[in-house]
């Protein structure tokens, strides 16, 4: 068998395994989300289908497939039909560069547990994709097409406005997301995700400490980028019905949600790779166990997303745009400059200096951002319109 | 080397097959009983008012334009970030170089801020 076929076979298995991993995460995540939010709101959540309601997402998927797929009379048929796929396919493609484990060696061949990862066999050497994280960013930009086209083609004013809003939101938060990632990249010195993981192992510290600010900005912009609560403006039912997917039904409706959950897993995977050391522990371990550490770190982020959704109220649209452009973008650029400054001027033990500076900067930014969000972004009403509401506690007389 | 991109093609085929297959399956399994009311634009049960292809605020267009400008500027940061660590003694020079670059961006940023392009009312 020629080497190229072995290469393709191994890659095909990797594609299927990683694709299957993401596809198992999605229903699991939907179940987890419903259960955790039910817990937060002191109710039971799904508990009828299967043990602990575990099969509920499967039942929902089957139900949605069996439903009537309505194509309203006025829609642009082709664009309307293809838009969900245009959202979903880029979401799936972004998993191509995410490493779920290190380099595995079987006999004379070794390959990374990553779809576009390194492969070394007799007579064939394929390096990891150089573009790395840029591919993820590019594909998350492509997803905007699905949103804006589904909104436009639906021939419904709520869809149109929802599509416009969501795409503007996704575009705006793409910027702080991209800038935030430059900080860890400065320390890693490579765009390859495997390189970023190895750099963290070499430094002996996860980038969450020296790049605390970048981590916070990345996580919050990521939440906005994938339209999750508290930035889930497209789903602001009281304003826009269903947003860009108002007119969709049956499985095409489900595809929007699937794409959202796939994006959520991908953003969590990128966050785990860039800030929590990816698939590596602090010590050298068995390479076959690395996907387990990776999935555990992934789950921590997914739980965080759900927790945030259960806790915070939705922000208003003008606040959302202000936050992205006027707060996150300058803060991310500031973090980038400080990181550059430290690396440029402290040649000895850069990572130690950066960790101390980064942690302090993170704490300062936390208080600064809290202040900005609580006081700065609140729209100042003129004194005459301002209504003073004294906080009263029922049943307590002063 | 083109062979490097073959796994991406495989993933693309799998993703398209999944999305396409699911859509075809739902078309085959689902009922088809269209009625005039079902095919109307959905407005929470109200009779639709006005045209369905409404106009939208020009601000969204402005956001898209600003995004393109800033995104290109951010893309220039990436190659800089990648070579920065290896640069050794040239780091100080590289740092001041990016300071100038970000300075130029900041002028534009302050300009659009002052012009009110970032305000939503």
């Amino acid at each position: 068998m020629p080497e190229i076929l072995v290469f393709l076979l191994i890659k095909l298995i990797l594609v299927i395994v990683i694709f299957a991993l993401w596809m198992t995460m999605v229903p699991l995540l939907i179940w987890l989300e419903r259960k955790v939010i039910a817990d937060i709101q002191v109710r039971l959540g799904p508990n009828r289908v299967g043990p602990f309601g575990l099969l509920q997402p499967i039942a929902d998927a089957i139900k949605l497939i069996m439903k009537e797929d309505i194509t309203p009379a006025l829609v642009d048929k082709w664009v309307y039909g293809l838009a969900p796929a245009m959202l979903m396919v880029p979401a799936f493609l972004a998993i191509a560069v995410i490493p779920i484990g290190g380099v595995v060696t079987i006999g004379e061949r070794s390959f990374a547990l990553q779809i576009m990862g390194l492969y070394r066999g007799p007579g064939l050497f394929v390096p990891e994709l150089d573009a790395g994280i840029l591919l993820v960013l590019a594909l998350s930009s492509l997803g905007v097409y699905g949103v804006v086209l589904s909104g436009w083609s639906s021939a419904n004013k709520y869809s149109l406005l929802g599509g416009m809003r969501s795409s503007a939101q996704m575009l705006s938060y793409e910027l702080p997301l991209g800038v935030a990632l430059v900080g860890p990249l400065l320390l890693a010195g490579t765009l390859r995700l495997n390189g970023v993981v190895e750099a963290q192992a070499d430094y002996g510290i996860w980038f969450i400490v020296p790049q605390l600010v970048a981590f916070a900005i990345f996580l919050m912009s990521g939440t906005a980028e994938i339209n999750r609560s508290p930035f889930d403006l497209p789903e602001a039912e009281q304003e826009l019905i269903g947003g860009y997917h108002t007119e969709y039904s049956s499985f095409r409706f489900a595809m929007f949600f699937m794409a959202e959950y796939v994006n959520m897993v991908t953003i969590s995977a990128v966050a785990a790779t860039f800030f929590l050391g990816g698939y590596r522990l602090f010590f050298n371990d068995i390479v076959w166990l690395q996907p387990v550490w990776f999935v555990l770190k992934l789950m921590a982020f997914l739980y965080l997303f759900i927790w945030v959704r259960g806790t915070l109220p939705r922000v208003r649209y003008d606040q959302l745009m202000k936050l992205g452009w006027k707060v996150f973008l300058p803060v991310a650029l500031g973090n980038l400059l400080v990181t550059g400054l430290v690396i440029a001027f402290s040649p000895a033990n850069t990572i130690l200096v950066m960790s101390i500076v980064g942690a302090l900067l993170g704490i300062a930014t936390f208080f600064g951002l809290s202040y900005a969000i609580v006081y700065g972004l609140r729209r100042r009403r003129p004194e005459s319109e301002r209504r003073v509401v004294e906080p009263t506690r029922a049943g307590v007389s002063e | 080397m083109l062979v490097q991109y073959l796994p991406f093609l495989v993933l693309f085929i799998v993703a398209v097959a999944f999305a396409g297959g699911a859509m075809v399956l739902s078309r085959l399994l689902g009922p088809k009983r269209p009625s005039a009311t079902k095919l109307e634009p959905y407005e929470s049960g109200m009779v639709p008012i006005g045209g369905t292809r409404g106009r939208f605020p020009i601000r969204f267009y402005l956001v898209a334009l600003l995004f393109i400008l800033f995104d290109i500027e951010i893309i220039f940061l990436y190659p800089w970030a990648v070579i920065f660590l290896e640069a050794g003694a040239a780091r100080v020079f590289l740092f001041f170089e990016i300071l100038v670059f970000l300075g130029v961006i900041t002028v534009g940023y302050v300009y659009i801020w002052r012009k009110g392009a970032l305000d939503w009312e």
Side-chain angles (χ1 to χ4, degrees):
Chain A
M1 196 153 59
E3 189 59 27
I4 185 101
L5 283 183
V6 181
F7 166 74
L8 271 182
L9 188 70
I10 287 175
K11 289 296 180 184
L12 184 66
I13 294 169
L14 267 178
V15 165
I16 289 167
V17 167
I18 295 179
F19 193 80
L21 175 70
W22 253 250
M23 285 314 288
T24 17
M25 291 302 270
V26 169
L28 193 71
L29 187 57
I30 294 172
W31 172 82
L32 191 73
E33 172 149 39
R34 294 183 65 179
K35 272 294 191 194
V36 170
I37 287 188
D39 250 8
I40 291 173
Q41 296 168 351
V42 204
R43 43 189 187 86
L44 284 174
N47 62 354
R48 293 281 157 178
V49 195
F52 309 108
L54 261 170
L55 298 179
Q56 185 69 47
I58 315 283
D60 286 343
I62 294 171
K63 184 199 78 176
L64 278 165
I65 283 193
M66 310 281 280
K67 287 280 179 188
E68 179 174 359
D69 196 347
I70 300 169
T71 308
L74 292 171
V75 305
D76 188 309
K77 294 241 161 29
W78 275 97
V79 181
Y80 176 84
L82 284 178
M86 288 176 76
L87 189 62
M88 196 171 174
V89 171
F92 274 126
L93 290 182
I95 69 179
V97 288
I98 295 187
I100 62 162
V103 177
V104 173
T105 306
I106 302 174
E108 53 189 347
R109 299 185 176 86
S110 52
F111 54 93
L113 294 178
Q114 182 187 15
I115 292 174
M116 296 197 78
L118 168 140
Y119 176 87
R120 191 184 279 111
L124 182 68
F125 174 74
V126 180
E128 189 182 336
L129 183 74
D130 273 325
I133 186 64
L134 286 179
L135 186 80
V136 177
L137 291 177
L139 286 168
S140 78
S141 294
L142 269 186
V144 179
Y145 280 107
V147 170
V148 75
L149 286 179
S150 62
W152 173 79
S153 66
S154 290
N156 179 322
K157 35 179 128 47
Y158 295 100
S159 294
L160 180 70
L161 285 175
M164 286 297 157
R165 267 191 176 196
S166 310
S167 51
Q169 173 184 347
M170 287 165 86
L171 292 180
S172 299
Y173 279 86
E174 183 99 10
L175 301 174
L177 196 76
V179 183
L181 284 178
V182 179
L185 287 175
L186 272 171
L187 291 170
T190 173
L191 290 175
R192 303 175 180 193
L193 271 75
N194 236 320
V196 175
V197 174
E198 294 303 327
Q200 291 176 76
D202 289 343
Y203 280 130
I205 192 163
W206 291 347
F207 284 161
I208 184 171
V209 181
Q211 291 295 326
L212 196 55
V213 179
F215 174 72
I217 299 286
F218 179 82
L219 214 56
M220 289 189 279
S221 321
T223 318
E225 174 75 17
I226 55 177
N227 296 330
R228 282 285 302 181
S229 169
F231 305 113
D232 55 345
L233 274 297
E235 285 166 49
E237 290 91 355
Q238 56 276 64
E239 297 165 22
L240 288 169
I241 313 182
Y244 55 88
H245 49 64
T246 301
E247 289 290 358
Y248 285 88
S249 54
S250 180
F251 200 72
R252 272 190 252 178
F253 171 76
M255 281 168 83
F256 285 107
F257 282 90
M258 235 158 158
E260 184 190 322
Y261 282 93
V262 168
N263 277 330
M264 197 169 147
V265 180
T266 308
I267 282 282
S268 304
V270 174
T273 305
F274 267 80
F275 298 101
L276 284 193
Y279 52 82
R280 289 284 293 256
L281 291 179
F282 284 115
F283 47 87
N284 282 326
D285 60 321
I286 310 157
V287 80
W288 291 107
L289 278 177
Q290 284 174 345
V292 179
W293 315 139
F294 180 73
V295 169
L296 284 178
K297 287 173 187 175
L298 198 67
M299 293 300 284
F301 280 110
L302 295 177
Y303 187 84
L304 188 73
F305 279 129
I306 297 171
W307 186 5
V308 165
R309 178 174 171 185
T311 310
L312 298 176
R314 188 180 289 137
V315 299
R316 221 170 51 206
Y317 195 72
D318 60 320
Q319 292 172 331
L320 171 97
M321 297 304 273
K322 256 189 209 169
L323 189 67
W325 282 96
K326 292 189 174 173
V327 181
F328 285 178
L329 188 61
V331 171
L333 282 171
N335 176 64
L336 165 78
L337 276 183
V338 171
T339 311
L341 191 74
V342 169
I343 296 176
F345 292 100
S346 87
N349 216 343
T350 310
I351 195 69
L352 184 71
V353 180
M354 192 58 230
S355 300
I356 296 166
V357 172
L360 289 177
L361 204 65
I363 294 163
T365 313
F366 172 76
F367 287 110
L369 274 186
S370 313
Y371 181 82
I373 290 166
V374 176
Y375 296 101
L377 290 174
R378 197 179 280 169
R379 205 159 125 224
R380 296 260 151 65
R381 291 208 192 98
E383 198 68 49
S384 53
E385 282 178 35
R386 217 172 285 168
R387 206 154 45 94
V388 182
V389 183
E390 292 294 336
T392 51
R393 217 179 295 161
V396 178
S397 54
E398 297 296 323
Chain B
M1 199 158 53
L2 217 56
V3 72
Q4 193 183 5
Y5 298 96
L6 277 178
F8 194 71
L9 187 68
V10 175
L11 181 67
F12 182 75
I13 292 167
V14 170
V16 169
F18 180 82
M23 285 205 288
V24 170
L25 199 67
S26 105
R27 180 136 294 191
L28 292 179
L29 289 177
K32 275 265 148 222
R33 283 189 290 274
S35 68
T37 328
K38 242 185 218 175
L39 298 184
E40 266 177 11
Y42 178 78
E43 288 187 10
S44 302
M46 308 288 284
V47 177
I49 304 163
T52 48
R53 294 217 190 274
R55 298 197 282 183
F56 59 86
I58 194 73
R59 282 205 175 277
F60 291 113
Y61 179 66
L62 192 62
V63 167
L65 277 186
L66 291 178
F67 164 74
I68 291 173
L69 285 177
F70 277 87
D71 209 36
I72 290 170
E73 278 156 358
I74 285 163
I75 286 301
F76 283 129
L77 292 176
Y78 276 79
W80 171 77
V82 170
I83 60 156
F84 194 69
L85 207 58
E86 307 165 355
R91 280 178 196 165
V92 177
F93 172 70
L94 279 180
F95 177 72
F96 283 109
E97 208 173 35
I98 209 70
L99 214 56
V100 172
F101 179 68
L102 286 180
V104 175
I105 293 184
T106 312
V107 173
Y109 181 70
V110 169
Y111 176 75
I112 58 167
W113 186 319
R114 294 291 296 274
K115 274 282 181 184
L118 305 179
D119 291 322
W120 288 72
E121 289 303 327

